[in-house]
Every structure is written in C-alpha cells, then in structure tokens.
Amino acid sequence: MGGDVPRQFRWLRSSRSIYAAVVVFVLAVFALSGFFFAKAIGVEEREHLAQKDAIARSVAASIEAREHGYLNVLQSYAGRFRFRESVKNRDAREAVVHLRQLHESFPEMDRVFLADRSGVVWATEPDTPEIHGRSYASRDWYLGVSRTWQPYMSDVYTTDLGHTLAVALVIPIRDVDARVIGILASVQRLDVLRDWLLPIQIPGGDLFVVDRKGQLVFHRTRPGAEHFGDYVNLPVVRRVLEGRTGVAELENSVDRVVTLSAYRWLPTLGWGVVVQSQKDVALQRVRVLLIASGAVGVILTVGLAGLGGLALRNERRTAAALARSTERLTMLHEIDRALIAAKAPVEIAEAILPRLRDLLGVPRAIVNLFDLRAGEVEWLAAVGRRRFYRGPAVRYSLRLAGDLEALRRGEPQVVDVHSLPASSEAEALLASDVRAYMVVPMIARGELIGSVSFGGSPSDFSTEQISIAQEVAAQLAIVLEQARLHERITRQAEELELRVQERTAELSSANEQLQREIGERRRAEQEADRANRAKSEFLSRMSHELRTPLNGIIGFAQLLELEVPDGNQRESVDHILKGGRHLLGLINEVLDVARIEAGNLAMSPEPVSADEVLRAALALIRPQAAARSIQILEPAPVGRYVTADRQRLQQVLLNLLSNAVKYNRQGGAVRVGCEDGSSGRLRFTVADTGGGIAPEMMNRLFRPFDRLGAEQTGIEGTGLGLALSLRLVEAMGGTLTARSTVGEGATFTVELFLADGLLLPAHAAAEIEAQTGAAASIRGTVLYIEDNLSNLRLLERIIARRSGVTLLSAMQGSRGLELACAHRPDLIILDLHLPDMPGADVLARLLADPTTKAIPVVILSADATPGQISRLLEQGARAYLTKPLDVRGLLSLIDDTLRNEKRS
C-alpha cells in the first residue's frame, strides 16, 4: 500500500506534469525565440554593414575619379609647350593666360597658382599680387610635393586669402629633360567639396571624409574650422589613417553613440571615407520586431505550432530581405566596377536596369536625361517586362517629370497618369498599362541632370523601393558626371594636341627659316672677318709707314733745335717740329678712329675713380689755361666710381678741357662738373665762356675733320678730337652730348655707368667675414698678374681675410712668369689685358713650362664674351671669372683650389 497514491491526489501529479511540460515548453519557446531574434539582429547588422561598405566604395570611387580628373587636367596643362616655356622663363604674363583658361574651364578650382621649386609663388589666377614672391616652403602642399616630386593632395588648411578652409592639389612641372622647373597647384575650398558631396544621401546614416591627419574634409553637420579636428581620435578614423579598409561596430565618443561603420582609405589622395549609422537607429526595426515577437511569443506559448509557424515566417522574411539587400549591394557594386572601368553611361544603365526592375518589382524602369533649356526629357536607357528599348532617343516634355523645383531639392515625385493633361505621351503610358510612376532625381554638383523613373499599376510605392531607387540614382549621377568630365578632358586633350601640332609646324618652319638666316649670317660674318683682317693689316701698315718717316723728321728737327742758334733758322726748325708733332697727333687720332670702327681698339673697363681721373686731366690742362688767363672752376669731390677704361676716359676729358680752353675768350672761365645722372649714371660736364656754336652747325659737331670754320681762325686742331671722344665714350657704354648758346659758350656732357669702388660692399664684407672662420685652416700662395692698381688693392683686401694665404703680385706678364717659376705658387690669377704681352700668351707659356704647367690658372677679366671664355677654358684655364667680381665666388674658388692642392 505504501506505493499506492490516493485517487484524490492523482490529478495533482498529472497537473504537475502538465505544468512542467508547460514550463519546458515556454522555456523552449523563449530559447527558440532568442535564437531566431539573435539571428535576425545579426543578419540585419551584416546587411547594414554591407550596405554601408558598398556606399563607402561608391563614394570613394567617385571622389577618386573626380580628383583624378582634376589631376589629369593639371597634368595636361603642365605638359603644354607654351605653358612649360612660360614657367621655365618665368614669363608671368604668358603663364597667367593659361592659368586663366584653366580657371575659366574649371571654376570649381577656386584658385590656381604657380610656384618655383623653392615654394615661392609668382603667378596666380585670380590675380593676387599681394602673395607674389611669398614663400610657402613650410606649407604642407609644398612639403608633400617636394618630398618625391609626385602629384600630392594637401591636408586641410586655412587660406591666406579669405581665410577659408581648403585643400590644394599640387603637381610638379617638368621640362622635356624631366627636370622639375616649377609647381602648379589648384586650391579647392571645402565649401565646393561640401556642395558636391551634400546631395549624396546615405539611407539611415551619414558619411564624412578626413585627410591624412584625421581632419574633417567633409561632414554634413560639422562644417567650419572649429569642427575639423573633432574626429581625430575616433577609433574608425585611427583605422582609416592606418591605411585599413573594412566594416566594424565602433564607438563614436564625440557623438556618444555606437555606430555601424564602413571605412575606406584613398592612398592616392591621403583621404579616408567613412559611412556610418547609429546602431540603435539601424537596428530599431529589428528591436521593435523583437519586442513584438516576444509579446507574441508569450501570447502564443499555448501552442508550439503557432510559435514555430511565426518563427518560420520570420526566417523566410529575413531571408527574403537578405536576398534583396544582397541583390541591391551587388547592383551598386556593379555600378562601381563599371565606373572604375570607365564604361559608357548607356552601357552601365542597360546593365543595371533589368536588375533594378526585378528588385523593385515593377514592369518598367527608365533612366532619363534632362534638357532644361529645351524643357525636354530624353531616354538614356529603358527596359520593359520583356525587352530593352533600342533605337532613336525618345524625347518628351519635362512636365511629365513632375514638380521640377521639388526634384531639384532631391524630393522624389509620384505622378498619376490619369491626372496628366491629355497628350500622346499620356495615352502611350496608359496603353503600356502604366497607371502611376515615380520619378527619382539624379543630382550632380547641385545640378539636376536626370532621373530614374519606374511604375506600373496604381499603388503606394514603398520606402524600400524609394531608397533603392535613390541609391541607384545617386550612383548613376556620379557616372554621368564622370562621363561629362572625361569627355571635357578628352576634348581639351584633342584641342591641345591639335595646338601642339600647329605649333610644331610653326616651329619647324621657323627653324628652317632660322637655319637659312644663320647660314646667311655666317657667310656675312666670314666676309666681315676678312674685311676686318684686311683693315687691321692696312692700319698696321699705315701706322708703320707713316710713323717711320715722321720719326726721322721729328728726330732730326730736335737735333737741329739743339744746334741752331736763335733767329730765322730756329723759327723754321720750330715750325718743322710743330708740324711734325701735329701730324703725329693727327695720325694717332685717325688710327684710333679706324680701330674703333674696325672693333680692334683694346678697352679695359674697370671701376675708375671720378675724382682721380678729373684731377689728372685738370693737372695737364692748367698750364694751357694759365697761358690765356683762363680760370678753371673745379667740382667738389664726389667719391664715386664709373665703369670705364681709365686711359681712354682721361683722353676724352682732356680733349674736352683742351677745346674749352682753345675756343674760350681771353681771361674767360671753364666750369667742370661731376654729379649723379639718370638711371644709375655719373655725369661729367665741361662748360666754357667762349663764342658758342651756331645752331645750324650743331649737327656737324661730331663729324670727323669738320672744324666748323675754326681752321680760318688760326686755332690749331685736326677736327678729329670730338669725333674720337664720341666713339670712345660709346665704346665704354656711355653718352656724349653738347648744347650751346651763341655768345655765351658751349657745354659738353659725358654720362657713364656707376660702378662699385675699391671698398667692399657691406654684404660682401659680411659674406667674407662669415667664411673666415670656416677657412682659417686654408694655407697657400696666390700670384695675381694685373696692371691695374685699384684691382690689385681690391684683391689684397680680399686675400687679407685669409690669414694663411700669401699674395704675390706682378703688373707685367713677363714679371708674372718670373715669379711663377721662382715661387711656384698654389694658384695664379691672371688678367688678359697686360702692358707687355696678352694674358692668353702668358697662359700658354705657363702651361708649356714643366715647372708651372701643374699650377691652376684662373682668368679674371672684364671680357665676358662667350667665345673668349670657351677658348681660354679649352686652352687650359681652371676657371674664368668676370669683372666686376663676385667676392663670395672668388673666395670659394680660392678655398677649394688651395684645399685640393694641399690634398694632392
């Protein structure tokens, strides 16, 4: 009996079993519900991440395509021949023409400018002269492009002009030999990029773009300088800056939310693209479904069959949603791949439309292009239930697209065909069983360019359908914009190629003409050389033939002067001497004029003290002035130097002073002046108080052998003095002019270029002082062969800065050769114009002598003609320096030469 249960308690055991079964059932229901809900949330999260990844790829490809398009434009301009030549020659006027064309063709480039290799801006469009000459070597855009001399997209920075946020796309400009000759940059304000990226809609989320420092290039709700560093420390930004690409669930500490993020790194631009949405918002639908399903699960705990059916239905719904999402992402990915492959828009549209029609579940889908000027819509591609439309483009009124202003704002339009005015288009739609259709706008850079339309029977279009259509429309808008940009670039490239061909033909023709002219010029130069040689031979022969008999005449006359007593014979001898000397002066002046005209007159331009040369000329003319009681009024010392040949300048001044005395009145005056002239010149003036020169004779003043009637007055002269003086002054790069008033006298003016004196300039002294410490260890001997005392003193002062260097000097070539053999200096500095022998002969004898041939020789001369330089360098000179000398360059050459000589 102990094992038997009373009958009244058997129902309790049964009830307990039922309760246990119910509890087990409920637990199983909750377990199964939790499993399915977790799976649904995971599927939804993966779907959102996959969607964001596809959008991130699309936006990244669009940004790369756009910026690469601008890069191609800049590179095509940098390759233009005339543009490159203007950069090489720093021709700002020509360069600005090309910059203006570039800016007008692409106004979205807020500013384009040119900089040299060191980062100094020298040309801008629009023109901003306030930044010309300013160095931007510390800016990121210069540091980035100069690091590898490859195209570079800068970090976000604040512009000097307008103080707006911008980025700079920078490319190096290379010459035909690949040498970098400049930098071409395009400044793009973030406002322009913002206007371009704003129309891109991210369903259920948003996107932002950062540069390589994590600064915001674009954010829909965080514009301005105060926000562009907000996201630097976000985990997703750090991943992007590490060059990573992927999807993840990450915390946004700035907005204090957890996001589902897709991120991509654009290495060619140094930018990162992040597409994200709040996890709570993204999974809100699933969470609502979870709560509803939980409630339903509690209510339906009475039956496992009902719960199983609900779970099965949710599974099927989830699978269908996943399939639609996969198809949507695949379709967007296909558009991305076609965009990267640069396929034609019509080809892309025809590939996408059948899948879009099936995904939306509609009988017809069309991609339209808007012609806003004509007020018409044109089919790009269309697909019906069974076939594509191919043939002539279908065009219809823009009114059938709905509210145009709403479309410009990005708002889709639903059009009821029955509400349209009666027209052939409306009848064709009804005949095709289209009762209503939706128009989704395609917007690129803020411009309405077309639409994606679909429809069929009257019904409410779902949010999912609208979202899918908007994503496709956004991608196709990018495709069309890219195609337009590619077409524009291609057209400009073709135009550029045509211009290059035309310019090449012009240059070829010009080159042929130039070659002919060069040949003719060479023949003319050869004829001129032969004529000059003949003339030089004639001058040499005439000089010998005339001077030889004059030497006998003047010599014997001087002997007679010593032997003949005073009287008529002595007067005759004086006349012979006077005539001979007059004839000798005339011969000298004639030969000088002839040498100038033949280009054979030796000139040695150097810094000449104006005070010294005036003092010497006045000292020679005072006895002649005193004989006629003529007063000489001298100028105050000016302490200035002019570039001239000292002997020839003194000859000119002495000639002018002699004329002022000869043609002056008895007891008159000669006023001599020295003052600053125009354009960096020094002015010498010689004014007399004689009878003056008639105005009608002024044009004959510098004519050889024309004495303007003075030969009838008994005043001695040849008529060659002023003609020779004019040619000498012009040979020294100066001017000689005259003015006169009859009865008051005449004034002659000589203007010559100012030159540095014997004192070192302040900056040169500073440079020498800065180099003195570094060159204290330099030791050696330098021989300077130069006949000009001022140049000797200048070099002595320079060498004095090198305490270990000994300077030897020689004023004649023969003396220099003796010192070179005796002392064997470490360096020889040689002038070309020496009194006893040409400098080229000294160089030849130094190189021919075994004792001195190893000594380096540096030429220091005022003769800077390329032919002379190349001849002497080929003859064996170590270097060729020109006057006025570069102190720093001379010291560097001396230091390097002496240092190398000590090593060897």
Side-chain angles (χ1 to χ4, degrees):
M1 290 186 57
D4 296 333
V5 179
R7 181 180 294 177
Q8 64 269 23
F9 293 105
R10 288 181 180 172
W11 67 269
L12 183 59
R13 175 180 288 181
S14 177
S15 297
R16 287 177 178 174
S17 299
I18 293 172
Y19 292 151
V22 170
V23 170
V24 172
F25 177 75
V26 170
L27 292 175
V29 167
F30 278 113
L32 289 173
S33 298
F35 170 77
F36 285 116
F37 293 154
K39 187 173 182 180
I41 290 175
V43 169
E44 186 74 7
E45 184 172 340
R46 288 194 300 273
E47 177 186 352
H48 273 277
L49 287 174
Q51 179 186 8
K52 297 301 180 290
D53 187 50
I55 295 174
R57 284 199 306 270
S58 174
V59 172
S62 175
I63 291 175
E64 279 192 318
R66 173 189 174 93
E67 297 304 328
H68 284 169
Y70 291 140
L71 176 61
N72 292 336
V73 170
L74 294 178
Q75 287 179 330
S76 68
Y77 271 80
R80 290 184 173 186
F81 174 79
R82 294 183 63 184
F83 180 64
R84 189 171 63 239
E85 290 298 308
S86 68
V87 172
K88 186 193 302 185
N89 299 326
R90 291 292 290 267
D91 185 352
R93 180 178 298 177
E94 178 66 19
V96 166
V97 172
H98 296 274
L99 294 182
R100 186 174 298 117
Q101 180 184 5
L102 175 60
H103 185 256
E104 291 173 354
S105 300
F106 300 92
E108 57 271 22
M109 296 182 183
D110 180 60
R111 184 173 304 281
V112 289
F113 64 85
L114 285 171
D116 61 18
R117 279 179 57 98
S118 62
V120 176
V121 173
W122 60 273
T124 58
E125 177 59 28
D127 188 27
T128 51
E130 58 270 32
I131 69 172
H132 290 182
R134 185 180 300 175
S135 173
Y136 287 88
S138 60
R139 284 288 176 90
D140 176 70
W141 62 260
Y142 175 76
L143 297 176
V145 73
S146 64
R147 191 174 298 116
T148 60
W149 292 117
Q150 297 295 327
Y152 180 73
M153 174 66 78
S154 77
D155 297 334
V156 178
Y157 70 98
T158 303
T159 62
D160 289 346
L161 302 174
H163 304 288
T164 60
L165 295 179
V167 293
L169 183 58
V170 190
I171 67 167
I173 304 173
R174 298 181 183 274
D175 204 351
V176 293
D177 58 357
R179 178 174 54 88
V180 176
I181 59 175
I183 300 173
L184 173 60
S186 162
V187 178
Q188 301 180 29
R189 290 185 293 109
L190 295 193
D191 293 342
V192 176
L193 295 174
R194 178 179 178 82
D195 293 341
W196 175 62
L197 292 173
L198 270 177
I200 300 177
Q201 301 296 325
I202 308 300
D206 208 342
L207 70 88
F208 64 89
V209 182
V210 297
D211 64 13
R212 60 177 59 83
K213 291 184 179 178
Q215 303 172 137
L216 286 174
V217 177
F218 167 79
H219 192 286
R220 196 177 304 275
T221 61
R222 291 178 179 270
E226 64 275 18
H227 293 295
F228 79 108
D230 288 355
Y231 283 6
V232 171
N233 296 318
L234 290 186
V236 67
V237 173
R238 289 198 296 270
R239 291 190 181 196
V240 169
L241 297 185
E242 292 171 0
R244 297 160 63 182
T245 296
V247 295
E249 176 183 332
L250 298 169
E251 181 182 358
N252 185 332
S253 58
V254 177
D255 299 326
R256 297 181 180 178
V257 295
V258 177
T259 62
L260 300 177
S261 303
Y263 49 90
R264 301 194 72 81
W265 175 246
L266 309 180
T268 57
L269 301 180
W271 287 0
V273 176
V274 180
V275 178
Q276 64 178 7
S277 61
Q278 294 185 26
K279 182 178 180 180
D280 293 339
V281 176
L283 302 180
Q284 183 177 3
R285 182 171 65 87
V286 176
R287 289 180 176 174
V288 171
L289 180 61
L290 176 62
I291 296 172
S293 299
V296 172
V298 173
I299 295 171
L300 296 180
T301 53
V302 294
L304 181 59
L307 183 60
L310 179 61
L312 181 60
R313 186 176 64 182
N314 286 339
E315 180 71 18
R316 289 176 178 174
R317 183 178 299 170
T318 301
L322 181 60
R324 288 195 303 274
S325 177
T326 302
E327 176 64 17
R328 183 160 89 186
L329 294 176
T330 302
M331 182 171 58
L332 294 175
H333 184 58
E334 289 296 329
I335 297 178
D336 290 341
R337 292 177 58 186
L339 178 63
I340 294 173
K343 291 185 179 180
V346 63
E347 184 180 354
I348 298 175
E350 289 180 351
I352 294 301
L353 279 181
R355 305 175 73 168
L356 178 63
R357 175 199 61 193
D358 298 339
L359 187 60
L360 296 177
V362 295
R364 174 181 291 186
I366 305 171
V367 178
N368 306 290
L369 299 178
F370 287 179
D371 187 347
L372 299 178
R373 289 186 178 180
E376 291 183 338
V377 179
E378 179 182 346
W379 283 5
L380 177 64
V383 64
R385 288 188 178 91
R386 302 178 185 85
R387 68 183 181 88
F388 271 110
Y389 174 83
R390 291 185 175 89
V394 175
R395 299 179 71 92
Y396 55 89
S397 173
L398 198 57
R399 290 175 297 177
L400 298 181
D403 186 351
L404 206 59
E405 293 302 320
L407 290 174
R408 285 194 174 99
R409 294 193 298 269
E411 301 172 5
Q413 299 291 298
V414 177
V415 180
D416 187 353
V417 179
H418 292 286
S419 65
L420 294 174
S423 64
S424 58
E425 291 90 349
E427 293 175 0
L429 289 171
L430 292 173
S432 301
D433 198 24
V434 176
R435 301 292 181 265
Y437 58 90
M438 171 163 281
V439 181
V440 179
M442 294 192 302
I443 299 175
R445 292 167 51 196
E447 178 187 358
L448 180 64
I449 63 174
S451 69
V452 173
S453 58
F454 58 92
S457 302
S459 63
D460 292 333
F461 296 100
S462 68
T463 303
E464 185 179 15
Q465 286 178 308
I466 297 174
S467 176
I468 293 172
Q470 285 178 328
E471 291 176 357
V472 173
Q475 289 296 95
L476 290 177
I478 294 173
V479 169
L480 290 171
E481 179 62 20
Q482 179 67 17
R484 289 181 177 181
L485 181 61
H486 183 266
E487 181 183 356
R488 189 189 308 174
I489 293 173
T490 302
R491 185 171 58 253
Q492 289 186 347
E494 291 174 352
E495 293 175 357
L496 179 61
E497 182 66 24
L498 180 59
R499 292 177 183 174
V500 168
Q501 292 176 356
E502 293 174 353
R503 183 58 179 164
T504 301
E506 293 176 1
L507 291 176
S508 177
S509 176
N511 185 54
E512 293 176 359
Q513 178 65 25
L514 180 60
Q515 292 299 326
R516 289 195 296 270
E517 292 178 357
I518 290 174
E520 294 173 359
R521 185 171 298 175
R522 285 176 178 169
R523 289 192 294 272
E525 289 176 352
Q526 291 172 357
E527 291 295 330
D529 287 341
R530 284 194 293 270
N532 283 335
R533 286 195 297 270
K535 193 169 186 179
S536 298
E537 293 175 1
F538 171 75
L539 289 175
S540 176
R541 187 173 302 167
M542 285 296 296
S543 176
H544 179 269
E545 295 297 331
L546 291 175
R547 289 174 183 272
T548 299
L550 276 177
N551 181 57
I553 294 172
I554 295 174
F556 284 114
Q558 290 174 340
L559 291 176
L560 291 174
E561 185 181 26
L562 297 175
E563 298 174 357
V564 175
D566 293 338
N568 293 333
Q569 290 184 352
R570 180 62 176 267
E571 182 180 357
S572 300
V573 172
D574 289 341
H575 281 298
I576 293 172
L577 280 172
K578 184 176 180 181
R581 287 168 180 158
H582 174 78
L583 184 57
L584 180 60
L586 176 61
I587 291 170
N588 289 334
E589 291 179 345
V590 169
L591 291 176
D592 279 346
V593 171
R595 288 192 188 98
I596 293 174
E597 291 178 349
N600 294 329
L601 183 66
M603 301 287 286
S604 181
E606 58 184 343
V608 176
S609 170
D611 296 332
E612 291 182 5
V613 76
L614 272 176
R615 194 179 303 117
L618 290 171
L620 293 173
I621 204 65
R622 278 196 185 93
Q624 183 180 348
R628 299 192 63 207
S629 301
I630 294 176
Q631 183 182 6
I632 303 293
L633 303 176
E634 302 180 20
V638 294
R640 296 300 188 94
Y641 289 78
V642 293
T643 300
D645 183 299
R646 178 186 300 272
Q647 177 184 352
R648 297 302 181 177
L649 176 57
Q650 183 169 329
Q651 180 181 352
V652 170
L653 293 176
L654 190 60
N655 193 354
L656 296 179
L657 290 169
S658 175
N659 286 347
V661 171
K662 284 195 302 183
Y663 297 103
N664 210 328
R665 58 183 173 80
Q666 186 74 18
V670 174
R671 183 179 298 275
V672 181
C674 184
E675 59 187 4
D676 287 338
S678 58
S679 304
R681 299 185 180 215
L682 190 67
R683 179 183 300 123
F684 299 90
T685 57
V686 177
D688 61 57
T689 57
I693 304 169
E696 62 272 12
M697 293 184 179
M698 290 296 293
N699 61 345
R700 297 160 45 195
L701 187 60
F702 298 103
R703 188 180 297 172
F705 302 108
D706 191 344
R707 297 191 61 201
L708 308 182
E711 62 275 7
Q712 300 175 3
T713 63
I715 299 175
E716 293 183 0
T718 62
L720 279 175
L722 287 178
L724 177 60
S725 297
L726 176 64
R727 286 163 172 78
L728 289 174
V729 171
E730 290 176 346
M732 292 185 287
T735 59
L736 172 59
T737 58
R739 66 179 186 273
S740 177
T741 302
V742 176
E744 296 182 6
T747 300
F748 289 82
T749 303
V750 175
E751 286 195 359
L752 294 170
F753 283 105
L754 285 167
D756 292 333
L758 298 177
L759 294 178
L760 292 177
H763 70 277
E767 291 171 356
I768 297 172
E769 193 67 32
Q771 294 178 0
T772 300
S777 61
I778 299 298
R779 296 287 185 273
T781 302
V782 177
L783 171 60
Y784 186 25
I785 305 175
E786 167 67 75
D787 64 325
N788 185 280
L789 285 175
S790 61
N791 290 338
L792 280 171
R793 273 179 277 164
L794 176 60
L795 194 66
E796 287 173 358
R797 294 202 58 189
I798 295 173
I799 296 297
R801 303 282 178 159
R802 294 293 183 266
S803 58
V805 178
T806 301
L807 178 65
L808 304 176
S809 62
M811 299 186 68
Q812 291 185 339
S814 57
R815 179 58 179 161
L817 291 171
E818 293 174 1
L819 290 175
C821 293
H823 295 275
R824 304 202 44 198
D826 300 293
L827 173 65
I828 297 175
I829 302 176
L830 175 63
D831 182 46
L832 292 181
H833 299 288
L834 299 172
D836 59 336
M837 59 191 306
D841 292 348
V842 176
L843 175 62
R845 293 175 62 176
L846 287 170
L847 295 174
D849 191 335
T851 308
T852 58
K853 69 177 182 179
I855 302 175
V857 179
V858 174
I859 303 299
L860 178 58
S861 174
D863 188 348
T865 56
Q868 177 80 312
I869 294 174
S870 61
R871 278 194 303 273
L872 291 173
L873 291 176
E874 290 174 0
Q875 186 176 343
R878 174 69 60 87
Y880 194 111
L881 303 179
T882 59
K883 300 176 185 177
L885 61 84
D886 178 358
V887 175
R888 182 172 57 182
L890 176 61
L891 278 175
S892 297
L893 179 62
I894 292 173
D895 293 345
D896 292 342
T897 303
L898 295 183
R899 192 179 294 113
N900 292 336
E901 287 299 309
K902 293 303 179 185
R903 279 200 202 102
S904 59

